[in-house]
């Protein structure tokens, strides 16, 4: 492990609003703050909003800056990435933002039923070959439904035509009607400008610079209902991020 990454890990341990709970501890002792995030962590009773796969934490911090009346938690398994957002929030003296280092598949171990009001998923890996790993799959939606309040909202912001098409099909197949749906967030004249949706992460800037359109969906996740996957063939995306190189068809 590089010295810079080790330095970031050490600094993360000193930031009071970064939570790192080793799996061994979680398995043997549970998570004591489950159900008490507002009283024990934020010390204020505001709606709790999660960003899953928060990366550098840009969207988490951007949301917290713009909406002081809500509490925001960025979640990612990569601690060295969220260091960027955590340091920015620390420097700004923010009190409505936190970060949790864990696997998204474990979030119901950290949050009590109905403790979360909204979930944001911003530019995730579309997982074109692995349905179970898609963060908008029925498997994950059922997981989210355990911690969300009734009619809790899911926001998806993505560059991926594949993930956008899949998520729309999944919603339609399960009788879920999106409250917002656009295939071109910044170019759709029927979709008004929105300060919250205009927050742009490093990856979003990358996609926009390549001429890609940004897609956005928002819908309520149903509770106590078994969901099923749509039987649909979707063309794969024909591009990759710069770090993974270009592919034919870009």
């Amino acid at each position: 492990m590089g010295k810079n990454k080790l330095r970031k890990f050490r600094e993360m341990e000193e930031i009071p609003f970064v939570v790192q709970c080793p799996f061994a501890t979680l398995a043997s002792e549970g998570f004591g703050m489950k159900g008490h995030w507002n009283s024990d962590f934020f010390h204020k009773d505001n709606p709790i909003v999660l960003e899953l796969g928060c990366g550098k934490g840009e969207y988490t911090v951007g949301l917290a800056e713009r909406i002081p009346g809500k509490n925001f938690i960025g979640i990612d398994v990569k601690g060295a990435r969220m260091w960027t957002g955590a340091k920015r929030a620390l420097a700004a003296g923010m009190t409505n933002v936190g970060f949790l280092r864990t696997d998204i598949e474990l979030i119901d171990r950290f949050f009590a039923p109905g403790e979360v009001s909204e979930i944001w998923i911003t530019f995730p890996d579309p997982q074109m070959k692995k349905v179970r790993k898609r963060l908008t799959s029925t498997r994950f939606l059922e997981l989210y439904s355990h911690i969300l309040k009734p009619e809790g909202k899911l926001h998806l912001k993505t560059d991926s035509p594949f993930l956008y098409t899949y998520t729309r099909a999944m919603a339609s197949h399960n009788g879920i009607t999106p409250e917002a749906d656009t295939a071109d967030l910044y170019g759709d004249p029927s979709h008004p400008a929105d300060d919250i949706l205009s927050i742009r992460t490093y990856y979003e800037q990358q996609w926009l610079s390549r001429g890609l359109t940004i897609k956005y969906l928002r819908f309520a996740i149903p509770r106590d209902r078994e969901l099923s996957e749509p039987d649909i063939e979707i063309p794969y995306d024909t591009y990759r991020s710069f770090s993974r190189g270009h592919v034919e068809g870009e």
Side-chain angles (χ1 to χ4, degrees):
M1 186 180 294
K3 291 183 179 179
N4 189 46
K5 186 173 287 188
L6 288 172
R7 175 183 61 82
K8 290 181 178 180
F9 283 139
R10 288 194 298 269
E11 291 185 8
M12 290 274 282
E13 292 175 356
E14 301 299 321
I15 299 176
F17 50 79
V18 173
V19 176
Q20 302 185 77
C21 181
F23 181 76
T25 302
L26 183 64
S28 62
E29 303 175 15
F31 184 66
M33 209 153 49
K34 179 177 179 178
H36 305 284
W37 280 90
N38 273 339
S39 60
D40 296 356
F41 185 82
F42 290 109
H43 307 294
K44 48 189 170 184
D45 190 19
N46 289 334
I48 293 175
V49 182
L50 309 182
E51 184 196 2
L52 305 183
C54 68
K56 296 175 182 289
E58 301 147 293
Y59 223 93
T60 301
V61 175
L63 288 168
E65 288 174 333
R66 290 163 173 77
I67 314 176
K70 294 183 180 180
N71 296 330
F72 295 88
I73 303 171
I75 299 176
D76 206 300
V77 74
K78 303 281 189 180
R81 292 180 182 174
M82 66 173 66
W83 172 89
T84 301
K87 292 288 285 186
R88 176 180 161 190
L90 182 66
M94 301 177 70
T95 60
N96 68 326
V97 64
F99 290 92
L100 171 62
R101 185 183 178 194
T102 191
D103 192 305
I104 293 169
E105 296 181 358
L106 300 175
I107 57 173
D108 60 341
R109 307 250 192 127
F110 291 91
F111 298 93
E115 190 169 15
V116 175
S117 293
E118 299 173 64
I119 290 175
W120 282 80
I121 302 174
T122 54
F123 303 96
D125 186 328
Q127 297 289 352
M128 291 181 283
K129 296 182 179 180
K130 299 177 181 178
V131 176
R132 284 179 57 80
K133 288 186 174 291
R134 291 175 202 156
L135 294 184
T136 58
S137 69
T138 57
R139 171 188 175 224
F140 275 100
L141 258 61
E142 288 172 354
L143 177 63
Y144 306 153
S145 72
H146 295 321
I147 63 172
L148 279 167
K149 295 181 182 301
E151 297 302 305
K153 302 296 190 293
L154 175 73
H155 305 257
L156 171 68
K157 213 177 168 190
T158 181
D159 60 283
S160 167
F162 177 92
L163 185 62
Y164 172 69
T165 301
Y166 162 77
T167 305
R168 293 181 83 237
M170 180 280 304
S172 176
H173 179 70
N174 287 285
I176 300 170
T177 302
E179 298 174 0
D181 179 358
T182 177
D184 187 358
L185 181 62
Y186 303 119
D188 184 351
S190 67
H191 198 89
D194 186 307
D195 185 47
I196 303 302
L197 291 175
S198 296
I199 299 170
R200 298 184 181 182
T201 67
Y202 167 82
Y203 286 107
E204 181 170 359
Q205 294 285 15
Q206 181 186 113
W207 305 134
L208 288 169
S209 72
R210 297 168 71 178
L212 300 176
T213 58
I214 305 303
K215 299 94 170 69
Y216 173 69
L217 282 166
R218 183 181 73 247
F219 53 84
I221 298 178
R223 303 182 69 185
D224 304 320
R225 186 202 305 178
E226 185 175 346
L227 304 176
S228 60
E229 290 291 334
D231 182 11
I232 182 174
E233 293 291 330
I234 305 172
Y236 282 2
D237 296 337
T238 57
Y239 62 91
R240 294 290 186 270
S241 66
F242 286 129
S243 62
R244 287 182 285 173
H246 298 254
V247 296
E248 186 177 355
E250 182 177 1

